[in-house]
Amino acid sequence: MQIDKLRGKTLDQLFDAILSLKDREECYRFFDDLATINEIQSLAQRLEVARMLREGYTYHKIEDETGASTATISRVKRCLNYGNDAYELTLNRVHEKL
C-alpha cells in the first residue's frame, strides 16, 4: 500500500493536529497558518472534483466549474477508482451531515 510510504512521526503530528480541531473556524485558522491560499484551494478543488466525478459530471463540465486541469481530474478519478476509498468515505460523511 502506497500510504505506508507516508507514515512517520511528523505526518502523525500533522494528522493529530488536524484531528484536534474542534470546528470549522479552528480549521480556517489552522490551515491559514499552515498553508498558502493556493495550497488550500488546490485541496478543496480536488475534493470538489471527486464529488462531481462521483455524481457523473463530465470532464468538460468539471473543468468549467472548478478550473481543474484534465490532469488533476484524471488523478482524482484514478484515486476514486483505485485508491484507498478516502474520498468516498469523507464525501459520504459530509453528505450525511447535510
Side-chain angles (χ1 to χ4, degrees):
M1 209 177 208
Q2 190 170 3
I3 198 166
D4 291 332
K5 295 177 185 177
L6 290 173
R7 294 188 192 277
K9 184 179 175 183
T10 56
L11 200 51
D12 285 351
Q13 178 179 265
L14 172 62
F15 292 157
D16 288 345
I18 292 168
L19 290 168
S20 77
L21 300 170
K22 292 181 176 67
D23 56 30
R24 187 176 290 148
E25 184 58 33
E26 285 188 5
C27 285
Y28 273 105
R29 291 172 41 211
F30 179 73
F31 280 92
D32 185 47
D33 284 351
L34 180 68
T36 67
I37 291 171
N38 287 342
E39 290 168 334
I40 297 165
Q41 288 174 336
S42 178
L43 294 171
Q45 180 188 64
R46 287 181 183 190
L47 186 60
E48 178 62 2
V49 167
R51 182 194 67 77
M52 293 178 78
L53 283 168
R54 193 172 84 145
E55 291 181 10
Y57 286 80
T58 64
Y59 273 42
H60 182 70
K61 182 73 169 171
I62 295 169
E63 254 185 306
D64 285 348
E65 288 195 20
T66 67
S69 68
T70 55
T72 296
I73 298 168
S74 294
R75 184 184 188 295
V76 171
K77 185 171 185 167
R78 189 170 44 255
C79 288
L80 282 170
N81 292 334
Y82 306 108
N84 297 302
D85 297 325
Y87 278 125
E88 195 71 29
L89 173 74
T90 55
L91 288 169
N92 286 340
R93 287 181 180 170
V94 168
H95 181 71
E96 288 171 6
K97 286 185 174 184
L98 299 178

